[in-house]
């Protein structure tokens, strides 16, 4: 596997993406550095590799998408803006790109995915990239990951109609942070900070995510 990339997947191309992220307001240097070092082209189909460092979402099969780099960077920055969380939960592993970004910035990433073939593909990449601080679960992430809670940070990469109570309950009561898109056709990204029984909610910006769906899909049912 070509980790470094050549041509449209080379370091030069990645540097251009990082400049775009800077222009768009991403200021966390550690986050930008991780974007420079993470081979996003491995997280998409080979036929789309030449588009991997454009700032756009791309299809990853099963009706799902790898999120736009800007939004991955923004959500990561929001999660990290008050110090590094020890333990982070992600709902929606998908391609695994957001997971891989987080794994280079925080000690532990726990990630739940409801589509088995996507999870398996991501798992292989994590071992190729030698990311050993990622714990995966095949389940409906709408219920979080109770056995592993509490989490200092939770990030949801699919949009529920309203914030699931289980995610709020699994936040660390001392400043746990939840970054989550909410809504159907009109979606907004929220940052929710927990202090005891108080949940402070801040609307960040308008976004477009695939929906959070119920249940699990175990087999490859085609595209
Ligand atoms: N972070 C991923 C985003 C993939 S799209 C990436 O950048 O590649 C969102 C993912 O959320 C999809 O893989 C979808 O299957 C998953 N998803 C949707 N509802 C879910 C649920 N209830 N539990 C777990 N994963 C879910």
């Amino acid at each position: 596997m070509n980790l470094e990339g050549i041509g449209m997947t080379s370091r030069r191309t990645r540097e251009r993406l990082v400049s775009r992220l800077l222009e768009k307001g991403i200021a966390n240097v550690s986050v930008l550095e991780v974007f420079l070092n993470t081979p996003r082209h491995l997280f998409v189909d080979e036929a789309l590799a030449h588009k991997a460092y454009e700032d756009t979402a791309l299809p990853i099969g099963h009706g799902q998408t790898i999120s736009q780099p800007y939004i991955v960077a923004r959500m990561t920055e929001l999660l990290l803006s008050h110090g590094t969380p020890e333990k982070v939960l992600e709902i929606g592993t998908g391609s695994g790109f957001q997971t891989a970004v987080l794994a280079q910035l925080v000690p532990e990433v726990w990630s739940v995915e409801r589509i088995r073939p996507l999870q398996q593909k991501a798992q292989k990449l994590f071992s190729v990239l030698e990311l050993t601080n990622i714990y995966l679960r095949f389940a409906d992430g709408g219920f979080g990951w109770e056995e592993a809670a509490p989490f200092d940070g939770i990030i949801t990469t699919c949009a529920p109609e309203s914030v699931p109570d289980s995610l709020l309950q699994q936040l660390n009561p001392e400043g746990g942070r939840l970054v989550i898109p909410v809504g159907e056709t009109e979606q907004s990204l929220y940052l929710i900070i927990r202090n005891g029984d108080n949940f402070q909610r801040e609307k960040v910006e308008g976004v477009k995510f695939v929906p959070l769906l119920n249940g699990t899909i175990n087999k490859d049912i085609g595209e």
Side-chain angles (χ1 to χ4, degrees), residues 64-67 90-96 98 112-115 118 139-142 157-158 210-213:
Q64 306 306 317
T65 52
I66 179 172
S67 305
E90 176 190 37
I91 308 302
T93 316
S95 68
Q98 169 83 72
V112 185
E113 172 57 54
R114 68 180 283 278
I115 302 179
L118 285 178
D140 180 344
T157 68
C158 44
V210 294
L212 182 142
L213 300 172

Side-chain angles (χ1 to χ4, degrees), residues 130-180:
E130 296 176 7
L131 297 169
T132 54
N133 55 342
I134 297 172
Y135 306 90
L136 297 177
R137 184 184 201 183
F138 169 59
D140 180 344
F143 302 103
W145 191 333
E146 203 171 356
E147 299 84 344
F151 298 98
D152 308 305
I154 302 179
I155 196 166
T156 304
T157 68
C158 44
E161 286 168 31
S162 62
V163 179
D165 196 49
S166 43
L167 299 187
L168 295 172
Q169 294 313 323
Q170 290 172 29
L171 278 176
N172 184 334
E174 287 165 30
R177 298 162 82 81
L178 169 61
V179 180
I180 185 166

Side-chain angles (χ1 to χ4, degrees), residues 7 57 73 153 186 214 217:
E186 291 281 311
N214 296 330
I217 298 175

Side-chain angles (χ1 to χ4, degrees), residues 74-75 77-79 81-82 154 163 168 171 176-182 187-195 198-207:
R74 185 81 180 102
M75 289 172 80
E77 199 174 59
L78 286 169
L79 209 60
S81 59
H82 275 72
I154 302 179
V163 179
L168 295 172
L171 278 176
R177 298 162 82 81
L178 169 61
V179 180
I180 185 166
V182 182
Q187 294 175 2
S188 300
L189 186 66
Y190 286 88
L191 168 65
I192 298 170
I193 303 170
R194 178 175 186 183
N195 279 298
N198 177 41
F199 295 87
Q200 181 201 322
R201 196 180 279 236
E202 182 190 323
K203 198 175 184 170
V204 181
E205 60 189 72
V207 286

Side-chain angles (χ1 to χ4, degrees), residues 84-113:
T84 303
E86 185 75 23
K87 195 168 174 183
V88 171
L89 172 68
E90 176 190 37
I91 308 302
T93 316
S95 68
F97 181 73
Q98 169 83 72
T99 327
V101 166
L102 284 169
Q104 295 169 79
L105 292 159
V106 308
E108 288 178 24
V109 186
W110 301 65
S111 185
V112 185
E113 172 57 54

Side-chain angles (χ1 to χ4, degrees), residues 42 73 83 88 127 131 218:
L42 301 183
V88 171
S127 73
L131 297 169
N218 206 348

